Amino acid sequence: EIVMTQSPATLSVSPGEGATLSCRASQSISSKLAWYRQKPGQAPRLLIYGASTRATAIPARFSGSGSGTEFTLTITSLQSEDFAVYYCQQYDNWPLTFGGGTKVEIK
Amino acid sequence: EVQLVESGGGLVQPGGSLRLSCLGSGFTFSRHGMHWVRQAPGKALEFVSAVTNNGASAYYADSVKGRFTISRSNSKSTLYLQMSSLRPEDTAVYFCVRWDNAMDVWGQGTTVTVSS
């Protein structure tokens, strides 16, 4: 099973500032990586797939990069709805696996 | 509107069984692989099971293999998860998810509580 490790566990950011979230895979997953945002009490929402392709209706302030084992989600100018938990997920191998999440909180 | 609606959750005793259902609407159900993902209280997301669009292949997390069975009825646009030999650690919100490049559409989830 591929282990996905996200860092940091918690990120404190002021509204309007940017944030950089990291995700590492225990073995190469090419670009088979997705990012999701989950607000409290809601289902997750797909942000990025293929490591860098924004999903439908996702604003340009979200960008993804990386390949192999190291990946990054960058959010520029955080809005109120961006304070949430973010998960990365690999879909290169079964079983699919998620990272433990990064909580982005208001500083 | 593309929508997934789960049902069938509830309280069950350890060792018991439960069947979850997920009704899809607003899209051609038979064109998409479908997944179940769960989230225990305060914990991260966990992949549970997936089935290909035609039902020919199924995949499971090691934690549920041999106890859970995924299936689908394309004529009814419905995904199922038959859960047996339930354990307290199976307590979670279970999400039904559509696959299209990634997990692109999620239901709101149904809660399963395993407790005596």
Side-chain angles (χ1 to χ4, degrees):
Chain A
E1 172 176 311
I2 296 176
V3 177
M4 305 301 293
T5 302
Q6 291 187 242
S7 61
T10 305
L11 192 57
S12 297
V13 184
S14 299
E17 291 187 342
T20 300
L21 288 65
S22 297
C23 175
R24 174 178 293 176
S26 61
Q27 66 187 68
S28 178
I29 57 171
S30 184
S31 296
K32 302 283 184 69
L33 184 101
W35 289 95
Y36 303 86
R37 177 182 70 186
Q38 186 178 32
K39 301 177 192 179
Q42 296 188 16
R45 180 178 182 180
L46 176 65
L47 301 174
I48 300 283
Y49 63 91
S52 61
T53 302
R54 278 191 302 277
T56 303
I58 299 302
R61 67 178 184 271
F62 292 94
S63 63
S65 63
S67 66
T69 61
E70 301 284 342
F71 300 87
T72 299
L73 175 69
T74 301
I75 314 169
T76 58
S77 188
L78 267 85
Q79 309 297 303
S80 57
E81 62 266 30
D82 299 332
F83 292 96
V85 179
Y86 292 79
Y87 294 97
C88 63
Q89 176 210 39
Q90 68 80 19
Y91 50 95
D92 187 58
N93 275 3
W94 298 100
L96 308 190
T97 46
F98 291 90
T102 291
K103 180 180 181 180
V104 178
E105 63 177 24
I106 299 176
K107 185 175 182 180
Chain B
E1 179 192 5
V2 175
Q3 199 171 7
L4 296 169
V5 179
E6 303 95 336
S7 60
L11 174 64
V12 61
Q13 291 188 339
S17 298
L18 210 55
R19 188 176 85 154
L20 306 183
S21 300
C22 169
L23 177 64
S25 60
F27 65 101
T28 305
F29 189 79
S30 61
R31 290 184 180 174
H32 296 271
M34 296 295 296
H35 296 233
W36 289 99
V37 173
R38 69 185 180 184
Q39 187 170 37
K43 301 298 184 181
L45 302 171
E46 180 188 15
F47 166 80
V48 174
S49 183
V51 63
T52 52
N53 66 317
N54 59 6
S57 296
Y59 305 89
Y60 298 93
D62 288 345
S63 58
V64 306
K65 202 172 292 183
R67 301 187 299 122
F68 290 11
T69 301
I70 192 171
S71 62
R72 63 190 295 161
S73 168
N74 285 342
S75 63
K76 296 180 180 179
S77 296
T78 301
L79 177 71
Y80 303 100
L81 185 68
Q82 179 67 48
M83 305 185 294
S84 60
S85 302
L86 282 161
R87 306 166 180 167
E89 55 264 36
D90 295 318
T91 294
V93 174
Y94 285 72
F95 295 102
C96 169
V97 190
R98 187 181 82 168
W99 183 270
D100 190 351
N101 293 311
M103 294 183 174
D104 74 326
V105 178
W106 295 65
Q108 280 306 300
T110 188
T111 300
V112 172
T113 303
V114 184
S115 174
S116 55

